[in-house]
Amino acid sequence: MRAEGWNRLPMIRMTNISLLPGEKPLSLEQLIESTDHAILLQTNRSWSIDDKRYNFQFGCEIGWEIKNGKRARMVKNPSYSGITTEFWNSLDAICSRDEWILWGTPNCGKGQPQQVMGTGHGAAPSRFRGIKVGSAYKSS
Amino acid sequence: MLNKSQAGDIFDRIKKLSTADEVEVLFSGGKFALTRFANNTIHQNVAEENHIVSVRTVFGGRTARAFTNKFDDESLRQVVRSSESLAKVQHPDSDLLPLPDSVEATGSADAGATYTAPSRHFQQTAEITPELRAEGVKRIVGVAERHSLTTAGVFSSAESLDGVFNSRGLNDWHTQTSAEVSITMLGADSSGWQKANSPDVANINPLALAEIAARKAVESAHPREIPAGKYTVILEPAAVLDVVGFMFWDYSGMAILDQRSFLSGRIGTKIFGDNVTIWDDVAHPLQAGCPFDGEGVKRQRVALVENGVVKRVVYARATAERMKQSEYRDKVGPIAATGHGFALPNEMGEMPQNIVFAPVGDPQTVDQMIASTERGILVTRLWYIREVDPYEKILTGMTRDGTFYVENGRVQCGVRNFRLNESLIHMLSNVETMSVPVRASGEESFDMVVPAMKVKDFNFTEVTKF
């Protein structure tokens, strides 16, 4: 339960949800080296999810195509999307603590009257298999 | 509630306490109450009354603001001291103008049309009690129970004020009331929704809204999954409001100067369909809000788009002066303070907040739009809209609370919700028909006067699980 201040009712919300780092040593470069073909997605700038938290889409500013274990060309405005449960079931590698960063956003809004709070969400680079990329610009 | 006379006294006391070159005091606040219900019962009733005094002082181009909600002598002395000590350590702002006087605040001929703002204070709304809100909720719950649905939502009411006083003699005051009802009806595998907001509670009918929300939940039960793709869509006004709202931050002189507006290089060009004309008009009878901006400049009626052509953007005073000196000055249409600035200091400059879509000559009702649709999607509302591409204005988001498949001129069934990835430029170039504009409320954007729209080739890229 969290409340924005003394004059707001506490509500159920998750302000500090993090993904634990992988237990075995794994750097981002090692993760890339162990990947045949993928997109490394960076610099998230857009996020949207349906009201039951199934279908999501995230947009990034920059990404890198990974080919045969190496960073290849840069890709602009990459996006990824999917169904939450399918997405998390496709996770097959998480980098270890050295790569873990506490991210977050300062203005997560919830409730009526609205309560705005800062959030902290830690994660290390992770690999997900078979994820759809590029829907954001599909035929638009 | 604080009145203008009391505020004037507070301002006089602040002015005497200050040693600054110039002083500006903004007043805001009022009474706000909200009754929230879920699972067919009221579970929250909150109310607060608060008045804020915000003091901005100026010392030779340095300015800062401090605020308090206590009006005793010591508190006012402290807020003046805070504002002044903050102002003195700022870097001088070369764009900072002297405070406006009452003549400048009425606006220049280049700014836009003159107007008379209607009263937006309704005694019946100001006197709404918790019992009256509870009575409204009871009627909503009655509809839910009759349809074997579960309902959640809010019934809120407010009486608020905005005031501005400055040391050049400007003083202006605005009071208004507001009532809002938002209703979600939940079935086993479907939902419906309606929302309305007005300064006058007499314009809000909780029972009628509940009936529409319930009907949507019932009629969208057992949703079918149909593939994503390009469809003709019929967007109800709330859906139009929430998606178009994402472009109005860009109708700002500062956004052009910062080159973060999708209108950069497009002012004076036709980027939407002939049937799209958009005004910012605080005096429109279906609008609400304060008729002056963060410096006390009167909001002008401004034509933003005429027949698909972007005509101009809005300006705070300092932004207009900067634009007149900029490399863009010959490419942006009229340049003048239009009364759309935010309180200083700020980083965003200004934006239009009283959007009105002009009516078309041959409006159609939503039912007429459905009847003329061979194959399409009827959308009640959208959700979690976010910007994908800031220049092409591609937005993403989901349909929600009543999405229907239309075939051969009739609503056939509810469908699972879609994800959209659609350019606003593309969308507003493909509007086939519109309804009469209405005052609409959503969750992603501020209230506007918008029509329902029938849009061809609207881009759905994915389907969700419900």
Side-chain angles (χ1 to χ4, degrees):
Chain A
M1 301 284 277
R2 297 281 189 278
E4 182 188 80
W6 61 270
N7 58 351
R8 290 290 178 268
L9 288 179
M11 66 172 79
I12 298 167
R13 65 186 304 173
M14 299 188 293
T15 50
N16 300 94
I17 298 297
S18 294
L19 182 66
L20 289 173
E23 292 177 357
K24 294 178 185 171
L26 180 65
S27 68
L28 174 59
E29 292 312 311
Q30 288 171 326
L31 181 61
I32 292 170
E33 285 168 13
S34 68
T35 304
D36 287 339
H37 191 208
I39 304 287
L40 172 63
L41 296 149
Q42 294 182 317
T43 324
N44 193 299
R45 71 171 182 195
S46 169
W47 47 91
S48 172
I49 192 164
D50 71 45
D51 57 295
K52 292 186 181 176
R53 275 42 178 174
Y54 279 112
N55 181 282
F56 67 86
Q57 179 178 299
F58 290 84
C60 302
E61 290 184 357
I62 194 170
W64 304 87
E65 188 174 12
I66 296 171
K67 271 190 168 176
N68 302 319
K70 290 188 167 54
R71 288 186 202 223
R73 66 187 175 117
M74 184 181 79
V75 292
K76 188 178 171 184
N77 299 328
S79 68
Y80 59 106
S81 55
I83 299 294
T84 303
T85 45
E86 295 168 4
F87 178 77
W88 286 104
N89 274 301
S90 74
L91 171 66
D92 78 345
I94 307 175
C95 289
S96 47
R97 180 160 293 279
D98 288 350
E99 301 280 358
W100 193 90
I101 293 174
L102 182 61
W103 304 97
T105 182
N107 54 356
C108 178
K110 296 273 184 294
Q112 293 165 309
Q114 190 170 76
Q115 300 188 41
V116 177
M117 297 183 76
T119 63
H121 302 304
S126 305
R127 186 173 61 199
F128 299 83
R129 299 289 191 180
I131 301 303
K132 189 189 288 184
V133 296
S135 277
Y137 281 81
K138 185 180 169 189
S139 302
S140 58
Chain B
M1 201 167 70
L2 192 71
N3 62 39
K4 187 177 182 183
S5 172
Q6 294 167 323
D9 290 342
I10 293 169
F11 173 70
D12 289 341
R13 287 158 61 200
I14 288 171
K15 203 167 62 167
K16 282 179 191 160
L17 290 165
S18 176
T19 60
D21 301 342
E22 297 187 297
V23 183
E24 173 200 84
V25 178
L26 302 181
F27 292 85
S28 61
K31 300 175 183 176
F32 174 79
L34 178 143
T35 299
R36 195 171 202 292
F37 54 99
N39 295 318
N40 290 359
T41 189
I42 292 171
H43 70 102
Q44 187 182 136
N45 183 54
V46 295
E48 64 180 316
E49 180 170 1
N50 193 22
H51 298 107
I52 303 287
V53 167
S54 175
V55 179
R56 182 164 72 90
T57 52
V58 183
F59 292 90
R62 303 168 197 264
T63 192
R65 181 179 293 285
F67 62 88
T68 182
N69 63 354
K70 294 196 289 187
F71 306 149
D72 60 276
D73 288 343
E74 182 50 35
S75 296
L76 293 185
R77 189 174 293 113
Q78 204 170 324
V79 73
V80 169
R81 199 182 304 137
S82 295
S83 175
E84 291 186 346
S85 59
L86 286 167
K88 287 174 182 172
V89 297
Q90 302 302 308
H91 291 292
D93 179 356
S94 58
D95 296 322
L96 189 69
L97 300 174
L99 298 178
D101 60 20
S102 56
V103 174
E104 184 183 353
T106 58
S108 69
D110 287 339
T114 55
Y115 67 96
T116 304
S119 169
R120 288 176 172 143
H121 188 280
F122 294 85
Q123 201 56 33
Q124 186 186 354
T125 309
E127 292 172 355
I128 291 175
T129 60
E131 289 78 11
L132 283 167
R133 291 195 301 275
E135 185 58 38
V137 173
K138 186 179 177 183
R139 276 178 268 155
I140 295 165
V141 169
V143 173
E145 289 175 343
R146 198 166 69 248
H147 291 280
S148 301
L149 299 169
T150 303
T151 188
V154 298
F155 189 163
S156 67
S157 53
E159 183 182 21
S160 60
L161 63 88
D162 290 281
V164 56
F165 291 74
N166 75 28
S167 53
R168 298 195 70 196
L170 173 67
N171 63 80
D172 211 343
W173 195 254
H174 171 74
T175 61
Q176 70 169 38
T177 51
S178 172
E180 182 169 294
V181 169
S182 174
I183 303 167
T184 301
M185 292 279 181
L186 296 164
D189 58 4
S190 65
S191 58
W193 173 89
Q194 287 291 278
K195 183 177 179 183
N197 174 301
S198 173
D200 185 359
V201 70
N203 293 329
I204 294 180
N205 184 339
L207 187 63
L209 294 168
E211 292 286 3
I212 297 170
R215 194 186 73 226
K216 285 177 177 291
V218 170
E219 292 180 355
S220 62
H222 315 306
R224 281 169 44 192
E225 180 171 332
I226 65 172
K230 293 209 170 196
Y231 287 90
T232 291
V233 294
I234 299 160
L235 303 172
E236 295 194 6
V240 171
L241 157 90
D242 272 342
V243 72
V244 301
F246 273 75
M247 71 174 170
F248 292 111
W249 286 94
D250 295 43
Y251 285 78
S252 148
M254 192 175 286
I256 298 290
L257 289 167
D258 291 346
Q259 291 290 280
R260 58 181 160 80
S261 169
F262 85 106
L263 302 175
S264 295
R266 287 171 169 155
I267 297 174
T269 63
K270 188 170 185 297
I271 62 172
F272 304 135
D274 290 332
N275 52 2
V276 175
T277 294
I278 307 171
W279 289 77
D280 185 85
D281 183 7
V282 72
H284 190 281
L286 294 179
Q287 270 292 351
C290 180
F292 51 86
D293 75 0
E295 288 185 277
V297 179
K298 297 280 190 188
R299 296 188 190 281
Q300 304 295 324
R301 184 174 189 258
V302 176
L304 302 171
V305 178
E306 283 185 350
N307 303 118
V309 179
V310 179
K311 304 301 285 187
R312 64 176 301 174
V313 294
V314 298
Y315 293 94
R317 296 164 67 234
T319 313
E321 294 308 307
R322 279 184 62 198
M323 185 64 86
K324 287 173 187 170
Q325 308 302 320
S326 83
E327 62 190 290
Y328 312 113
R329 63 182 181 271
D330 298 326
K331 304 168 188 166
V332 293
I335 306 170
T338 56
H340 293 82
F342 296 119
L344 295 174
N346 70 74
E347 296 174 338
M348 300 304 286
E350 58 278 309
M351 78 175 290
Q353 297 178 73
N354 296 97
I355 299 300
V356 176
F357 275 64
V360 292
D362 53 347
Q364 291 196 5
T365 64
V366 168
D367 285 344
Q368 287 173 316
M369 293 180 196
I370 292 168
S372 65
T373 301
E374 193 177 321
R375 184 169 178 270
I377 305 295
L378 171 62
V379 177
T380 298
R381 68 179 289 210
L382 300 170
W383 155 264
Y384 220 136
I385 303 165
R386 290 295 180 273
E387 193 171 78
V388 169
D389 187 301
Y391 195 65
E392 296 309 320
K393 224 58 187 169
I394 298 170
L395 302 175
T396 192
M398 301 293 301
T399 64
R400 179 175 177 176
D401 296 332
T403 308
F404 300 90
Y405 179 59
V406 177
E407 192 175 80
N408 299 325
R410 297 186 63 176
V411 171
Q412 302 292 329
C413 60
V415 293
R416 288 188 172 182
N417 287 297
F418 290 105
R419 171 167 297 285
L420 64 99
N421 276 286
E422 174 68 19
S423 159
L424 266 180
I425 300 171
H426 179 265
M427 172 186 147
L428 292 177
S429 299
N430 284 295
V431 180
E432 292 185 335
T433 57
M434 297 186 202
S435 71
V436 172
V438 297
R439 178 175 175 79
S441 289
E443 300 291 349
E444 301 277 353
S445 300
F446 49 93
D447 294 358
M448 300 175 200
V449 181
V450 293
M453 291 181 179
K454 180 174 170 181
V455 181
K456 68 179 179 185
D457 293 334
F458 194 85
N459 193 33
F460 291 126
T461 53
E462 291 178 5
V463 188
T464 192
K465 294 289 187 188
F466 60 95

